[in-house]
C-alpha cells in the first residue's frame, strides 16, 4: 500500500431505513432553502423563512414545528407533513461522582454511540462521536475493539450538541451569555477524518453565528493522522486540530496507532508543519497517551521535542485510561511529571489531562457502545433493518 492509494476504510455503512421524511437538523442553509422551495415557499421568502427555522432549531431548541410560531400555520402544517426535526434518542444518562455526564444515544438502524459532557466550574466541554465504533484499531483504545462501524450523518453529529443543550437547559441564551457548553471536541467514538464531509457540514452548523455559534477556536478535531484529510479539514472546516501522536518512533507508533503504517511520523509532521493557521497564537495539540514502559521514557520526551521542532504546538499528556482486558498500564504520576518537565523545558506547554468520569467509563478511550457488547453479527443487523 502506498500513500497514493485511495482511502478505503472498511466502513460497513448499514443501509438505514429511509426516514419517513428528511430531517431539517443537519441541513446546510442552502439545502434547507432548497427544501423550502420544494414545498412551495416563494423564492422571495426563502432567506427569511430559512433564517426563522434556523433560529427555532439552533437558538431556541425547538423540537416540533408547532413551536415555530413565527411561521404561519399553513407553513408549519406543510413542514410537519414533509419533514422531521429529529435528534438521536437518549437511551441512558449516567452522572459520574465528578459531574461528568455520559449519554448512550440511539440512532437510525438501532445503532448506539456515546457522548460525554465534562463540566468545569463555569464552562464545559462536550465530547461528541463521529462514527459508531472505529475502523482503526489503536491498541490502547476501547472503541478500536468494536467491530461494527457506521459513519454518523450531519444530523446525528449536530443532534448530539442539541441533546446536550436540552439536558443543560441552555436554549435561548443571549449572545455573550455564559454557557456551560462552551467547548466542543471531536474526541468521542470514531475517526472524524474518515467521515470528513459529514463532520464538516455539522461543524459549519455548530459555528454558524446565527445559531449554535460556537467559535472555531472552541472546537477541536482530533485525528489519528489521516494525512490527506488533515489538509482538507484545514481548508474546509477551520477548527482547531489535535493529533493523536502517542509515540516517537515509527516502530512503536505502528503498534499503537496502526494508521502510522500508511502515513508515518515524518509524513504526518510534514503535514502539520504546513497546516494553515489564522493567527499566531494558534497551536496544534499533540495528544500523547502515557503508557507505562512503552512510550514514557526520558528519551521519548527528548525525541518528541526534537520531532516537533518548528511546529507551533502544545503537548497534551493523557494518563492511559484502562478498560477491561486492556494490554497496557498507566504511567506513574512521577513518570508523567518527569516527561512533562522535559517537554515544558523545551518551550512547549504540556498540560496533563485529568481523567474524568472514570467511574462510569466515560474517560478518553473508554467509550464502546452496548450494541457491540451484545456482539450482533453484521448479517443479523442487516437482517433486522431490512
Ligand atoms: N479517533 C480520534 C478521536 C477519538 S480518540 C483520534 O484517535 O484522535 C480521542 C483521544 O483519546 C485520542 O488522542 C486517543 O488516542 C485517546 N485515547 C484512546 N484510548 C485511550 C485510553 N484508553 N486512554 C487515554 N487516551 C486514550
Ligand atoms: Fe479510532 Fe481514535 Fe480509538 Fe484509534 S484512538 S481506535 S482512531 S477512536
Amino acid at each position: 500500500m502506498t500513500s497514493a492509494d485511495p482511502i478505503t476504510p472498511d466502513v460497513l455503512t448499514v443501509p438505514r431505513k429511509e426516514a419517513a421524511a428528511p430531517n431539517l437538523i443537519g441541513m446546510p442553509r442552502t439545502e434547507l432553502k432548497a427544501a423550502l422551495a420544494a414545498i412551495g415557499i416563494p423564492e422571495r421568502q426563502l432567506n427569511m423563512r430559512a433564517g426563522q427555522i434556523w433560529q427555532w432549531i439552533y437558538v431556541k431548541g425547538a423540537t416540533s414545528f408547532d413551536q415555530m410560531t413565527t411561521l404561519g400555520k399553513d407553513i408549519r402544517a406543510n413542514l410537519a407533513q414533509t419533514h422531521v426535526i429529529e435528534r438521536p434518542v437518549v437511551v441512558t444518562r449516567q452522572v459520574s461522582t465528578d459531574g461528568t455526564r455520559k449519554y448512550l444515544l440511539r440512532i437510525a438502524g438501532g445503532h448506539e454511540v456515546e457522548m460525554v459532557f465534562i463540566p468545569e466550574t463555569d464552562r464545559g466541554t462536550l465530547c461528541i462521536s463521529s462514527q459508531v465504533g472505529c475502523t482503526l484499531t489503536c491498541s490502547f483504545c476501547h472503541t478500536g475493539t468494536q467491530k461494527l462501524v457506521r459513519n454518523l450523518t450531519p444530523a446525528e453529529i449536530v443532534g448530539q450538541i442539541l441533546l446536550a443543550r436540552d439536558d443543560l437547559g441552555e436554549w435561548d441564551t443571549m449572545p455573550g451569555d455564559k454557557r456551560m457548553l462552551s467547548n466542543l471536541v471531536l474526541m468521542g467514538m470514531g475517526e472524524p477524518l474518515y467521515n470528513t464531509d459529514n463532520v464538516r457540514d455539522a461543524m459549519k452548523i455548530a459555528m454558524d453565528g446565527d445559531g449554535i455559534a460556537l467559535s472555531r477556536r472552541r472546537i477541536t478535531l482530533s485525528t489519528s493522522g489521516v494525512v490527506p484529510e488533515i489538509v482538507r479539514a484545514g481548508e474546509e472546516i477551520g477548527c482547531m486540530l489535535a493529533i493523536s501522536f502517542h509515540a516517537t518512533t515509527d516502530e512503536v507508533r505502528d503498534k499503537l496507532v496502526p494508521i502510522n503504517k500508511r502515513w508515518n511520523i515524518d509524513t504526518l509532521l510534514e503535514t502539520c508543519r504546513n497546516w494553515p493557521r489564522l493567527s499566531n497564537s494558534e497551536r496544534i495539540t499533540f495528544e500523547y497517551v502515557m503508557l507505562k514502559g512503552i512510550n514514557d521514557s526520558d528519551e521519548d520526551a527528548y525525541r518528541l521535542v526534537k520531532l516537533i521542532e518548528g511546529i507551533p504546538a502544545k503537548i497534551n499528556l493523557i494518563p492511559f485510561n484502562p478498560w477491561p482486558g486492556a494490554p497496557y498500564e498507566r504511567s506513574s504520576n512521577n513518570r508523567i511529571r518527569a516527561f512533562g518537565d522535559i517537554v515544558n523545558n523545551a518551550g512547549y506547554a504540556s498540560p496533563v489531562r485529568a481523567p474524568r468520569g472514570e467511574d462510569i467509563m466515560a474517560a478518553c478511550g473508554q467509550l464502546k457502545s452496548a450494541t457491540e457488547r451484545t456482539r450482533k453479527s453484521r448479517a443479523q443487523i442487516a437482517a433486522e433493518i431490512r
Side-chain angles (χ1 to χ4, degrees):
M1 213 184 268
T2 74
S3 58
D5 290 339
I7 304 167
T8 50
D10 169 34
V11 175
L12 175 74
T13 303
V14 178
R16 281 168 297 121
K17 266 196 195 126
E18 270 310 303
N23 197 350
L24 291 189
I25 294 173
M27 274 190 192
R29 263 173 202 274
T30 43
E31 238 175 80
L32 177 58
K33 280 192 245 175
L36 295 178
I39 61 162
I41 308 273
E43 170 77 30
R44 63 191 148 74
Q45 285 188 14
L46 287 180
N47 271 338
M48 176 189 67
R49 295 300 184 204
Q52 288 172 321
I53 292 171
W54 199 269
Q55 276 257 322
W56 280 110
I57 296 179
Y58 299 117
V59 177
K60 296 180 184 293
T63 50
S64 80
F65 294 111
D66 285 347
Q67 292 166 279
M68 302 189 176
T69 48
T70 51
L71 304 176
K73 274 213 171 95
D74 45 339
I75 300 185
R76 276 186 265 158
N78 194 344
L79 280 171
Q81 274 177 4
T82 52
H83 291 82
V84 293
I85 318 173
E86 212 168 79
R87 295 151 158 63
V89 175
V90 179
V91 182
T92 57
R93 170 182 177 277
Q94 288 169 277
V95 182
S96 153
T97 47
D98 71 15
T100 300
R101 303 180 190 191
K102 181 170 88 168
Y103 308 79
L104 177 67
L105 309 178
R106 186 162 298 146
I107 55 172
H111 304 297
E112 287 166 349
V113 286
E114 292 183 320
M115 162 177 102
V116 178
F117 179 72
I118 308 135
E120 307 290 340
T121 337
D122 60 351
R123 54 179 213 107
T125 301
L126 182 68
C127 176
I128 60 174
S129 293
S130 56
Q131 298 184 306
V132 177
C134 186
T135 48
L136 298 166
T137 51
C138 303
S139 48
F140 53 89
C141 173
H142 204 201
T143 311
T145 66
Q146 183 165 330
K147 297 286 181 299
L148 176 74
V149 180
R150 141 151 121 65
N151 281 338
L152 298 194
T153 62
E156 290 160 347
I157 300 170
V158 174
Q160 294 175 63
I161 308 173
L162 305 187
L163 283 175
R165 278 216 175 150
D166 290 345
D167 195 34
L168 294 165
E170 291 204 316
W171 288 116
D172 221 357
T173 47
M174 301 300 283
D177 279 358
K178 264 240 165 296
R179 290 198 188 119
M180 280 306 285
L181 202 176
S182 60
N183 292 65
L184 188 65
V185 293
L186 281 145
M187 295 187 187
M189 296 165 72
E191 169 49 60
L193 296 188
Y194 269 172
N195 188 15
T196 313
D197 287 354
N198 291 351
V199 165
R200 175 201 56 212
D201 288 355
M203 291 308 103
K204 290 280 180 210
I205 292 174
M207 289 187 264
D208 187 294
D210 294 327
I212 298 171
L214 276 167
S215 132
R216 54 178 283 279
R217 305 199 55 150
R218 293 183 175 274
I219 301 178
T220 305
L221 182 155
S222 172
T223 179
S224 57
V226 189
V227 162
E229 297 293 293
I230 292 176
V231 178
R232 201 154 79 84
E235 287 162 359
E236 297 181 19
I237 307 178
C239 61
M240 300 298 110
L241 177 69
I243 302 283
S244 291
F245 202 57
H246 307 321
T248 59
T249 63
D250 280 325
E251 198 193 345
V252 176
R253 195 163 190 272
D254 279 353
K255 294 207 180 81
L256 298 180
V257 190
I259 201 175
N260 194 68
K261 293 183 207 153
R262 182 80 177 271
W263 293 288
N264 66 12
I265 290 181
D266 274 356
T267 314
L268 177 59
L269 292 180
E270 185 55 28
T271 305
C272 293
R273 283 206 168 79
N274 299 324
W275 171 257
R277 290 182 307 144
L278 292 186
S279 95
N280 274 337
S281 61
E282 281 174 27
R283 304 263 174 281
I284 294 178
T285 302
F286 284 81
E287 296 162 287
Y288 198 94
V289 64
M290 298 298 291
L291 304 170
K292 188 184 227 163
I294 305 283
N295 64 355
D296 62 352
S297 67
D298 283 357
E299 290 70 39
D300 278 304
Y302 287 118
R303 258 198 307 268
L304 176 62
V305 295
K306 186 96 190 86
L307 280 170
I308 61 169
E309 209 172 354
I311 301 176
K314 81 170 179 211
I315 315 297
N316 202 177
L317 301 177
I318 316 177
F320 171 65
N321 296 309
W323 36 273
Y328 301 107
E329 280 175 72
R330 179 183 290 181
S331 310
S332 70
N333 289 345
N334 281 343
R335 185 84 299 269
I336 297 176
R337 205 170 304 124
F339 192 102
D341 284 347
I342 295 173
V343 175
N344 212 261
N345 289 338
Y348 297 95
S350 57
V352 179
R353 192 182 290 174
R356 297 288 304 267
E358 279 184 292
D359 53 338
I360 54 167
M361 287 279 285
C364 298
Q366 292 185 323
L367 304 184
K368 179 172 170 177
S369 78
T371 320
E372 176 64 16
R373 281 183 210 118
T374 61
R375 294 253 164 210
K376 283 184 187 170
S377 71
R378 290 181 175 210
Q380 228 176 327
I381 290 156
E384 272 171 30
I385 55 154
R386 232 173 256 136

